């Protein structure tokens, strides 16, 4: 069944609709994302799952939305979700990573996904002039958060439905703060933390 994210006229699975309206992690991330995304924003979602957050970013008016997912089944569902909603978001089966960082990172070995195509994260961030990054905290250690380009204005750090450990959140926050970001309490909600460039 197609899933919709707009006002009234959209079709949405009742269970997912209830989860998005509740205090669940997706609901908190959805509300934080709606407060953060502006029409000129260029959004990159890493480990996007079935694409709920990128679909919402597109729906609220982001100029460009790119979503990466390493699991081929989730990536296919994400494409279907975008198509069913007439979304301008682009679903990509693959992993966006920094090969130099991944080669030196022990954490990267914990997420092998050998079958997923690899894409150069620094190149994507630079060439696409990404302004907003959506990042799942449980996998934040896969990415070089200390080397983000100056044009990246905000990072939405959120957990998935299963949640993230406090240590994972803390480490990602420390790296982002060290890279010139600060916590925006007004736009954040629960486990969905919005950090903006200082």
């Amino acid at each position: 069944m197609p899933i919709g994210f707009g006002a009234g006229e959209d079709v949405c699975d009742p269970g997912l609709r209830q989860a998005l309206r509740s205090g669940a992690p997706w609901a908190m991330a959805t509300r934080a994302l709606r407060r953060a995304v502006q029409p000129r924003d260029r959004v990159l979602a890493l480990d996007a799952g079935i694409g709920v957050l990128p679909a919402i970013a597109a729906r609220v008016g982001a100029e460009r939305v790119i979503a990466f997912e390493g699991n081929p089944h989730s990536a296919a569902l994400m494409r279907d979700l975008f198509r069913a909603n007439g979304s301008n978001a682009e679903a990509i089966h693959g992993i966006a990573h920094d090969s130099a960082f991944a080669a030196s990172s022990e954490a990267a070995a914990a997420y092998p996904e050998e079958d997923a195509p690899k894409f150069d994260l620094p190149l994507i961030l630079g060439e696409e002039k990404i302004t907003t990054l959506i990042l799942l905290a449980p996998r934040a250690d896969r990415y070089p958060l200390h080397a983000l380009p100056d044009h990246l204005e905000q990072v939405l750090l959120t957990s998935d439905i299963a949640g993230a450990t406090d240590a994972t959140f803390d480490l990602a926050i420390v790296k982002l703060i060290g890279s010139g970001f600060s916590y925006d309490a007004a736009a954040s909600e629960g486990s969905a933390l919005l950090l903006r460039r200082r």
Side-chain angles (χ1 to χ4, degrees):
M1 173 186 286
I3 302 171
F5 296 101
E9 78 284 351
D10 295 330
V11 177
C12 183
D13 173 83
L16 179 57
R17 185 182 300 274
Q18 180 58 34
L20 291 172
R21 289 181 176 161
S22 73
W26 272 3
M28 290 182 271
T30 297
R31 290 188 292 267
L33 191 60
R34 285 183 182 273
R35 288 189 286 271
V37 171
Q38 302 296 315
R40 64 171 181 74
D41 286 344
R42 299 176 67 80
V43 178
L44 175 64
L46 302 176
D47 303 309
I50 63 168
V52 172
L53 295 178
I56 290 167
R59 183 69 177 206
V60 298
E63 177 182 310
R64 175 102 163 98
V65 179
I66 304 168
F68 281 90
E69 173 53 46
N71 180 300
H73 303 293
S74 294
L77 287 171
M78 179 167 49
R79 277 189 207 94
D80 291 345
L81 175 89
F82 294 168
R83 191 176 314 111
N85 286 280
S87 175
N88 69 341
E90 180 180 355
I92 299 173
H93 170 231
I95 304 294
H97 79 300
D98 182 328
S99 57
F101 177 75
S104 65
S105 171
E106 291 177 19
Y111 310 104
E113 296 163 320
E114 297 93 8
D115 297 337
K118 307 290 190 279
F119 297 85
D120 188 306
L121 178 59
L123 184 66
I124 295 163
L125 289 169
E127 286 192 357
E128 292 290 339
K129 299 290 186 223
I130 299 298
T131 59
T132 303
L133 180 64
I134 301 172
L135 186 61
L136 287 177
R139 293 192 167 193
D141 56 356
R142 294 173 66 162
Y143 305 105
L145 300 179
H146 61 280
L148 297 172
D150 291 341
H151 56 79
L152 182 68
E153 298 170 3
Q154 56 191 6
V155 177
L156 178 63
L157 179 67
T158 188
S159 68
D160 56 12
I161 293 301
T165 66
D166 290 339
T168 307
F169 264 119
D170 291 348
L171 182 58
I173 292 166
V174 166
K175 287 180 180 179
L176 287 166
I177 289 173
S179 297
F181 290 83
S182 60
Y183 172 65
D184 183 338
S188 297
E189 183 172 339
S191 62
L193 308 180
L194 189 71
L195 293 101
R196 296 189 197 261
R197 178 84 60 187
R198 290 192 291 268

